[in-house]
Amino acid sequence: MELLPSVVMMFVLALCFESLPSVRAQSTTTSPGPSSTREAEALDTLLQQYAYRALVNPKTGTIYNVTHLPSTLTGIEVAALRLRSGSLRRRGFSAYKEFEIPMGFIGSPYVERLVLVYQNLGNWSTRYYPLPNYTYLAPVLGLLAYDGSNLSATNLPELDIQASDGPMLVKFRDVKSAPQGAVAKCVWFGLQGSSNFSNVTGGNTCSSSQQGHFSIVVHYTATPAPSPQPEKGSAPSAQGEGENDNKKTWIIVGSVVGGLALLVLLSLLVLCMNKYKQKKKMQHMERAAEVGEALQMASIGDTKAPAATVTRTQPTLEHEYAP
Ligand SMILES: *[C@@H]1O[C@H](CO)[C@@H](O)[C@H](O)[C@H]1NC(C)=O
Ligand SMILES: *[C@@H]1O[C@H](CO)[C@@H](O)[C@H](O)[C@H]1NC(C)=O
Ligand SMILES: *[C@@H]1O[C@H](CO)[C@@H](O)[C@H](O)[C@H]1NC(C)=O
Ligand SMILES: *[C@@H]1O[C@H](CO)[C@@H](O)[C@H](O)[C@H]1NC(C)=O
Ligand SMILES: *[C@@H]1O[C@H](CO)[C@@H](O)[C@H](O)[C@H]1NC(C)=O
Ligand SMILES: *[C@@H]1O[C@H](CO)[C@@H](O)[C@H](O)[C@H]1NC(C)=O
């Protein structure tokens, strides 16, 4: 019976330890490094192919949504837009999803038609663009230019596009609010793994004179121990590390509390079973005592020594004596 509680305890401990390695594994995947840059470049290449496939007899200046992405990339949104280089330079493109491209953008090397591939990385933002010590307040959006002369081409290099008149604007939708006291920043990721921060204007707009990937972030300040909870809570971050940590803490706390409750329940069960066993034993002993009494009486009957003290059985004794 003493085995059961220790088995339960081991179960609880196993639950606790099981949740620990996953915490470590997750935090290493969000660490920065050249591998994430390579992965981001591989993603660009892949998304370019899917974007070009959506361009079947495309109309110049029409936005084509990519509807067939592999299920492994669920959550990412891609679109393609083919333009004449001359038209882009003279007129820009006022509303390509969140991007506002003013006139004056010039691609090099020069191509007659170019394709602008739009990416919204959604919940994959931190996976492909990990930014230590920052929390994303908006998904990472990408705008990349390619040669649009051959729509079957794959592994195309990006064209270099540069603003000559003014920067393009990225007007993010649904920007999460920054925690109190924290300042939201625009972040830009260049194609070679470079990045840069700039000020957010109008609460949701970033500007850039180059292509690349963009988002709005807030520095993740290591708050002193007393009040980390409200700080994390008020930083609404679907992709943030804060929420992940919170979730893991809750999983650990949950399994410990659940395990303890189970332990208490099982202890009660063990206690009840012990009580029941004891009761049974008592009943058994009582019955045994009764049988013993009878035996005793039998021997008394044999030796004919009327030493019985139990009055209840006396009538029988007398009856035995009678003949
Ligand atoms: C493309 O997707 C956007 C939403 O992401 C939608 O508003 C738009 O209507 C779609 N365009 C086409 C042509 O389906
Ligand atoms: C993003 O969300 C989709 C479902 O909407 C899910 O299949 C995918 O695994 C998520 N990606 C990440 C990196 O969590
Ligand atoms: C992130 O913050 C931690 C602690 O505040 C610091 O040790 C680390 O160097 C920072 N990482 C980067 C890349 O700035
Ligand atoms: C377009 O690219 C595909 C794939 O690289 C190639 O097979 C094809 O010959 C190219 N077409 C033209 C007209 O260059
Ligand atoms: C980052 O931006 C600043 C101005 O905001 C600029 O001076 C600097 O050259 C930029 N750095 C890179 C690597 O683009
Ligand atoms: C960004 O904003 C800060 C304060 O809000 C200001 O001091 C700084 O000059 C701004 N930087 C630029 C490049 O506008």
Side-chain angles (χ1 to χ4, degrees), residues 42-57:
L43 182 69
D44 288 343
T45 304
L46 192 64
L47 296 182
Q48 177 262 313
Q49 288 178 34
Y50 281 101
Y52 271 47
R53 275 184 217 169
L55 294 172
V56 182
N57 300 323

Side-chain angles (χ1 to χ4, degrees), residues 2-26:
E2 263 146 42
L3 192 68
L4 196 51
S6 48
V7 166
V8 171
M9 203 60 203
M10 270 167 66
F11 180 65
V12 171
L13 285 178
L15 262 182
C16 290
F17 281 117
E18 207 185 357
S19 53
L20 286 180
S22 71
V23 174
R24 274 229 315 269
Q26 286 247 336

Side-chain angles (χ1 to χ4, degrees), residues 48 96 131 136 177 245 249 289 299:
Q48 177 262 313
Y96 184 17
L131 202 54
Y136 280 101
S177 53
D245 283 353
T249 311
S299 59

Side-chain angles (χ1 to χ4, degrees), residues 244-308:
N244 268 348
D245 283 353
N246 252 351
K247 210 165 143 190
K248 269 163 218 148
T249 311
W250 278 116
I251 289 172
I252 292 170
V253 168
S255 47
V256 168
V257 168
L260 280 179
L262 199 66
L263 184 67
V264 167
L265 262 172
L266 279 165
S267 305
L268 281 175
L269 191 72
V270 168
L271 217 70
C272 284
M273 273 171 76
N274 272 343
K275 273 250 168 80
Y276 177 73
K277 279 211 128 191
Q278 231 169 358
K279 204 173 157 190
K280 268 221 127 162
K281 209 170 160 187
M282 287 288 277
Q283 281 176 349
H284 196 73
M285 275 164 70
E286 270 169 39
R287 223 175 306 141
E290 276 170 37
V291 173
E293 244 169 50
L295 281 172
Q296 206 181 12
M297 274 181 281
S299 59
I300 286 164
D302 273 347
T303 52
K304 303 213 190 291

Side-chain angles (χ1 to χ4, degrees), residues 28-107:
T28 51
T29 56
T30 53
S31 69
S35 71
S36 64
T37 305
R38 274 203 305 276
E39 283 178 5
E41 283 169 5
L43 182 69
D44 288 343
T45 304
L46 192 64
L47 296 182
Q48 177 262 313
Q49 288 178 34
Y50 281 101
Y52 271 47
R53 275 184 217 169
L55 294 172
V56 182
N57 300 323
K59 273 199 236 153
T60 301
T62 301
I63 300 166
Y64 291 86
N65 291 335
V66 176
T67 48
H68 297 295
L69 277 181
S71 59
T72 48
L73 295 177
T74 304
I76 295 181
E77 192 190 329
V78 183
L81 167 67
R82 191 157 83 141
L83 294 171
R84 289 179 174 277
S85 284
S87 159
L88 179 65
R89 182 172 49 81
R90 285 192 310 272
R91 296 210 292 265
F93 198 90
S94 62
Y96 184 17
K97 308 268 183 185
E98 288 92 337
F99 291 89
E100 261 184 45
I101 307 166
M103 59 179 167
F105 264 82
I106 300 161

Side-chain angles (χ1 to χ4, degrees), residues 96-148:
Y96 184 17
K97 308 268 183 185
E98 288 92 337
F99 291 89
E100 261 184 45
I101 307 166
M103 59 179 167
F105 264 82
I106 300 161
S108 68
Y110 177 81
V111 291
E112 199 188 332
R113 291 160 192 276
L114 46 74
V115 171
L116 296 177
V117 173
Y118 163 92
Q119 308 175 355
N120 180 337
L121 298 191
N123 61 344
W124 294 85
S125 300
T126 44
R127 169 75 177 71
Y128 284 100
Y129 292 90
L131 202 54
N133 300 343
Y134 286 88
T135 299
Y136 280 101
L137 301 180
V140 168
L141 303 180
L143 188 75
L144 302 176
Y146 297 92
D147 181 353

